[in-house]
Every structure is written in structure tokens, then in C-alpha cells.
Amino acid sequence: MSKSNSTQAERVDVLVVGAGFGGMYAVYKFREMGKKVVGIEAGSNVGGVWYWNRYPGARCDLMSVDYSYGFSPEIEQEWTWSEQFAAQPEILAYANFVADRLDLRKDFRFDTRVTSAIWDEEAKLWRATTDTGAVLEAPYAIMSTGPLSIPKDPDIPGIDRFKGELYRAQKWPHHDVDFAGKRVGVIGTGSTGIQIIQEVGRKAGELFVFQRTPSFTLPMRNREITPDYAAEMKKHYRQMRAAMKMNPTGGTRPVTSRPYFSLPPDQRIEAMEQAWINGGHTFLGTFADLMVNEEANEAVADFVRDKIGQIVEDPVAAEALKPRGYPIFARRPCLDTEYYETYNLPNVHLVDCKKDAIVEITEKGIRTESGETELDMLIFATGYDALTGALLAFDVVGRNGLRLKDKWKDGPVSHLGITMTGFPNLFATTGPNGPAALANIITISENDVDWIADLITHMEAKGLSAVEPTQETEDAWMTRVAELAAPSLIRKANTWWVGSNVKGKPTGLTMFVGGFAKYREACEAVAASGYEGYAFD
Ligand code: N01
């Protein structure tokens, strides 16, 4: 293969794409190993999804002490979270704190997008080009591009026609947006839309929510972290991190082995009432079989639908807000703060697009089948081309000219979500065949980066220059992923988890649903075997 670019190219040891929590840790880890590492990031600073998603009400629905790095006991002691579920500004401040503390920014090129990454078989390295014209060469490339980083506009005619203010949740401006006295429309009622609606409904002159599919959402019951509580947590971080590694969620939320029908009816209700009061995702840990037993799932869904009916005063709105036709938790469960109560405000109007579908966006607002709603502002909270979108957003070409988009034409395949047959020395963190969106993404990122670092150390000790999983290894992993997915009710809803939110995208549950602990064990077993099932040059 030609090396004509070599004269202009910058040679490094490790190339990292993305400055979210995965990419930040990768840059730190490889630098600590003595590598020359360069990170490329499209945004102007660190933080990944938390850099872009500055929409009103943005907040993480994992507990802040869980959703934080475990690799540095010093940082754990120096940083203090103020709320149990941190808001976006605090999470972004944390990312910046870590970047300052570890001096990470000097190894990142910001405002830069990778446009292609091509394997050079002769030189045994990846050659990446960027939209700034730079060419970087590295024997190892780490894709920390994130499962939720390619925003998706709604497929509605007329988006460019709207003359009012148009906002996208995932590309929110850096300045304040004033909603006072404005007529605001929101399209999208997933986790993002719910957070926006409960916030903007209390600020806007009028808010019109265009809902196609209602989501189940549970009370977050956020609270401040008191100095005493913070001090206590700081004493126990090491035990907590150890426990997180053993937990299917990659966090500290308790899990249970108790099936729904193992309790008498009154105790089932009592358990759900308690979970409702406790808030957060505790509901998910109440019964073990909610994602595989349809009858149990329907009973829990009924409990939540009853709660919606009790909160929302207008019976028509209450009925429209009750999700039906798909299992609870088969779409990512949302956590809210008085979301349903928002619909009791006189200025908040629910447009049920199941009965009154959106026809087009006009210069003045949104036209549904029943007529036009005039708006000053329109907000899209319409999700992402998730899991694979960012990895397929640029040309990735492996051995013998194999393109990732061709390899993945029927859906993503890999080993552990990290390595891909035909793509030597290319690694993904939180890739689409790992637990990706189903467990704590920071815990997964740290696991994946550590695993990749150990593999590279192994190769260097043995004088090896290229590695990839054999086809059998990749196939065996994908069989395991499919077998675990087969009984899962997740397959029964149309969501980004299964790819059905993007027209033309291959659909299917390709994430590892066995939980973080089992995923980590699988990763560790490969390393402990001396990387059995891997081919080296
Ligand atoms: O995206 P989504 P999201 N007309 O895909 C609607 C994480 N997250 O950004 O279902 C009308 O869930 C679409 O309707 P439908 C979290 O993992 C976490 O909200 O296609 N509506 C749906 O309601 C989450 O799961 C946090 O019928 C249209 C919505 O847009 C993930 O990000 C906070 C439409 C998209 O929902 C993604 O959540 C925020 C159309 N043409 C996000 N097209 C926390 O940690 C789309 N929709 C709390």
C-alpha cells in the first residue's frame, strides 16, 4: 500500500477519537503507559455528550457517585458532588476538573473531526485524516465516539421552513434561552424531551408537547448531598468501586433475584409502592424477571399507568400519557421530577400525535391533521442514530479494503464490542455489542480502556504488531449476544436500543444484555487465557 502521505503525516503511538469520559480516560491511560497519544474531538472542549447537551433540565439519571471515574482515588477525594443525580453543568464541570487535574487537554485536538481511518497493512498502522486537513498515523486507534453522539432530526417535511427559533436538544447553544412569554413546541418525549418539558413547561408562556409515543417515567426524587453524606461516601469509595464491578448495572443500585410472582399480591404492590417512594431506578431492582416475563412486566406497567392516572387531572391527557403496546423498561426508563404534574399547568398542552398526526412544519409552527399551531420556538428532542451512528459517520477501512459500513450492513458485529475481525488494532470503547447503553457507561469505558491497554502491553512484550479476533471468536460472541437477547422483552419496543428509530437502519438487539459483571468476566477471561481466539501478526 502507498505511503505517500507519510511525509506530511504526524506519527503517534495511539490515536483516540472522542473526548467524552471514554476518550479522556484512554488519553490518560496511554500517556501514563509512556505512549505518545493524540485525541481528536469535534467539540471545543472535553465532556462528550455533556459538552453538547446543554438543554434546560439536562441531568444524569445515574447517581453521581456511580457516574464518575473510579481509576483515581485522588480525584474521588478532591471532587464533591452536590446532588444525588447531577445536572449537566455539574457533570461538565467534573469533566473539566478531571481534564485540568490530569492536564488532558494538551493531548487533544479540539474542533476537529476524523473524516477517515484507513489501515495500512504494510506499515501496520492506522492513517486518519481530519476535516482540518491533518493526517495522523498510529499503530493503535481507539474509537471512544460514544453511543449517543449523532443527533437525529425528526422525519417531518418542512424543517427548514420554520421562521421562529429552532433548537436541537443535542446541540443546545451556549447562551441562555429565554422562554418567558413564548409559545414553545417540543417534539420528542424520550428521556431528553421529558427533562425539557418539565423545565420549560414552568417557564414558557405556553408549551405544546407533540407526543407520538409516551414513555414510562419514574420519580427521580433527587436530593442534595449533604457534607456529612459526602464525607461518608468518600470513606467508602474503594468498596463501592469493587461492588460496582460485580453489579450487572456497573453501579451501586441493588439488584434482586426475586421473581414477581414469588410474592403474594399485596406484597408485590407494597414493593412497588416502596420503589415509587424511593425513586430512581430502584423499580428495576424490585423484581428479577421484569424483562423476560410478560405477565409480570404488564402488572408493573399497570401500576405505573395507575400512578399517571392519579397525578394527571385531565382524563384525556392522562389516558394519552399512559404508555401502551410495549413492555415497560423495553424503552430506556426515564426518571423525572414532576413530569406528569407539568400537564396540570394551564399553559401546558399535550398534542396526542397518535390521534392528530404531525403533517408538516410550517413557517409559523406545526401543522397537524387538525390544524396549525403557531409557535415562537420549536425544540427537537428526537434522539440519535445511536450505538453505531458515530462509528459509521466516517470511512473506516480495515484489512483488504474492508469497510466497516459493509461489515455492519446487517447490524454491528464485534468481539466484546471492542475488537472487530478484519480491523486489526482498532478498538471501540462502549461499542454496540457490549453492555453499551444498559449499564453505567463510565464503568464500561474504564473496563474497556484497561482491557485494550493490557492487550497492547501483551503485544509489546511479545514483539507483536497487529491483533484482531478470529472470525470464530467474533461469531461465538455474537451467538452469545443473540442467545441472551432472544428472551428479552427489549426486542418488543421500537427504540434506539434496537435501531428502529432510524429509517433504513438494520434492526435488532445487538447489545450484550447479560449485565456489566458478566461482560467484565468475559473480558477478563480472554486476557487470562493469553488472548485465546485472537490472531496476531
Ligand atoms: O431520544 P429517544 P432521547 N414525530 O430516541 C420522538 C439518554 N439520555 O434523546 O418513540 C414525533 O429516546 C420519538 O417518538 P417515537 C438515554 O439513554 C439520558 O430522548 O419514535 N416524534 C421519541 O419520543 C435515552 O434513552 C438522560 O414515536 C418523533 C423521541 O422523539 C437516550 O439518551 C437524558 C419523531 C426520541 O426519544 C436518548 O433519549 C437524556 C417524529 N417524526 C437522554 N421522531 C439521562 O440520563 C422522533 N420522535 C436522564
Side-chain angles (χ1 to χ4, degrees):
M1 184 176 283
S2 151
K3 284 193 262 179
S4 57
N5 281 332
S6 296
T7 44
Q8 305 98 325
E10 179 182 350
R11 174 71 189 257
V12 299
D13 299 323
V14 183
L15 176 72
V16 174
V17 185
F21 284 117
M24 288 169 65
Y25 179 51
V27 163
Y28 171 71
K29 178 90 186 181
F30 290 109
R31 190 212 282 163
E32 286 297 289
M33 284 167 64
K35 305 282 175 216
K36 180 164 170 40
V37 51
V38 165
I40 305 289
E41 165 59 48
S44 303
N45 209 331
V46 296
V49 76
W50 300 105
Y51 169 84
W52 296 102
N53 284 31
R54 296 159 188 261
Y55 60 82
R59 187 178 287 284
C60 187
D61 60 8
L62 294 184
M63 286 192 292
S64 40
V65 286
D66 291 8
Y67 195 79
S68 56
Y69 285 126
F71 71 86
S72 166
E74 294 79 22
I75 289 175
E76 283 171 348
Q77 294 305 315
E78 289 163 21
W79 179 265
T80 303
W81 293 102
S82 71
E83 287 182 283
Q84 185 142 27
F85 295 95
Q88 176 270 341
E90 187 170 17
I91 300 169
L92 188 59
Y94 171 73
N96 277 289
F97 173 80
V98 174
D100 288 340
R101 177 71 170 68
L102 304 176
D103 199 10
L104 294 181
R105 285 189 207 83
K106 71 175 161 68
D107 289 328
F108 273 103
R109 312 275 159 82
F110 293 106
D111 301 305
T112 305
R113 266 182 199 281
V114 174
T115 50
S116 72
I118 299 172
W119 174 249
D120 184 331
E121 178 66 25
E122 197 185 312
K124 299 269 185 280
L125 50 77
W126 284 92
R127 184 169 295 117
T129 50
T130 73
D131 61 358
T132 61
V135 180
L136 288 120
E137 294 176 341
Y140 303 105
I142 321 289
M143 300 292 151
S144 293
T145 45
L148 293 164
S149 39
I150 303 289
K152 187 190 142 294
D153 276 354
D155 303 316
I156 301 172
I159 288 174
D160 297 335
R161 244 180 280 155
F162 183 60
K163 293 265 196 280
E165 295 170 57
L166 178 64
Y167 297 99
R168 291 173 172 84
Q170 315 91 335
K171 284 197 177 160
W172 200 263
H174 288 213
H175 58 79
D176 281 345
V177 175
D178 185 9
F179 300 99
K182 301 276 174 68
R183 288 168 65 88
V184 183
V186 175
I187 301 179
T189 48
S191 298
T192 304
I194 282 173
Q195 291 187 329
I196 291 173
I197 291 160
Q198 67 195 12
E199 187 85 8
V200 175
R202 288 169 174 78
K203 292 180 175 164
E206 283 195 274
L207 177 68
F208 297 85
V209 177
F210 294 86
Q211 173 190 270
R212 189 163 66 182
T213 308
S215 298
F216 287 97
T217 166
L218 307 166
M220 178 177 266
R221 311 233 187 266
N222 197 11
R223 44 187 175 270
E224 276 179 30
I225 292 178
T226 62
D228 285 351
Y229 183 51
E232 195 55 29
M233 270 182 333
K234 286 185 186 192
K235 281 192 216 151
H236 296 112
Y237 260 125
R238 301 284 31 91
Q239 294 99 300
M240 272 173 51
R241 299 299 181 198
M244 286 161 72
K245 289 189 174 179
M246 311 300 283
N247 189 307
T249 72
T252 54
R253 175 165 60 76
V255 288
T256 179
S257 55
R258 174 177 71 182
Y260 180 81
F261 289 106
S262 67
L263 287 185
D266 56 331
Q267 287 181 30
R268 291 174 212 153
I269 300 288
E270 209 178 295
M272 288 190 282
E273 287 290 358
Q274 197 52 55
W276 188 267
I277 290 165
N278 291 346
H281 281 134
T282 43
F283 234 91
L284 277 164
T286 308
F287 303 106
D289 54 348
L290 295 183
M291 294 321 294
V292 289
N293 182 331
E294 273 184 86
E295 216 183 322
N297 185 290
E298 187 62 12
V300 173
D302 273 340
F303 176 89
V304 177
R305 282 190 284 261
D306 282 352
K307 289 287 182 198
I308 298 170
Q310 287 160 25
I311 299 169
V312 180
E313 288 158 8
D314 172 4
V316 177
E319 211 40 47
L321 285 162
K322 290 178 188 172
R324 296 191 191 278
Y326 69 88
I328 187 168
F329 308 134
R331 293 159 75 91
R332 157 97 184 190
C334 311
L335 297 185
D336 71 90
T337 301
E338 302 195 340
Y339 172 69
Y340 293 119
E341 286 83 346
T342 310
Y343 293 93
N344 295 336
L345 300 173
N347 63 323
V348 176
H349 316 287
L350 181 66
V351 181
D352 181 357
C353 299
K354 282 253 153 69
K355 294 193 171 139
D356 185 12
I358 297 177
V359 177
E360 61 175 347
I361 294 173
T362 65
E363 283 189 11
K364 292 184 180 164
I366 292 183
R367 186 185 311 285
T368 60
E369 287 166 346
S370 70
E372 188 176 26
T373 303
E374 292 191 9
L375 302 167
D376 303 308
M377 290 178 172
L378 179 54
I379 301 173
F380 292 160
T382 44
Y384 299 82
D385 179 357
L387 300 172
T388 56
L391 284 163
L392 298 177
F394 55 94
D395 213 14
V396 181
V397 186
R399 221 169 225 162
N400 303 319
L402 178 62
R403 292 190 136 70
L404 191 59
K405 70 171 182 315
D406 292 330
K407 182 179 169 79
W408 283 6
K409 67 181 185 331
D410 299 323
V413 289
S414 67
H415 182 228
L416 304 170
I418 304 178
T419 54
M420 284 144 277
T421 309
F423 294 81
N425 295 8
L426 184 78
F427 305 99
T429 62
T430 68
N433 312 119
L438 303 174
N440 184 342
I441 206 118
I442 299 188
T443 316
I444 306 170
S445 298
E446 287 185 301
N447 173 81
D448 291 359
V449 170
D450 289 344
W451 189 87
I452 297 162
D454 288 347
L455 173 53
I456 292 175
T457 304
H458 170 87
M459 288 170 69
E460 290 182 344
K462 303 237 174 224
L464 302 166
S465 57
V467 63
E468 63 182 289
T470 65
Q471 193 60 59
E472 294 70 38
T473 300
E474 189 176 86
D475 291 348
W477 180 254
M478 292 314 300
T479 301
R480 183 165 177 205
V481 165
E483 282 170 1
L484 285 165
S488 172
L489 298 180
I490 289 177
R491 294 178 305 110
K492 298 210 165 189
N494 286 326
T495 64
W496 64 269
W497 278 355
V498 296
S500 55
N501 65 326
V502 176
K503 223 183 245 168
K505 190 169 173 166
T507 56
L509 179 53
T510 60
M511 287 185 286
F512 178 81
V513 300
F516 173 75
K518 287 209 161 52
Y519 169 72
R520 179 189 52 75
E521 284 166 17
C523 293
E524 284 175 3
V526 176
S529 74
Y531 302 97
E532 222 171 79
Y534 273 73
F536 293 93
D537 289 349

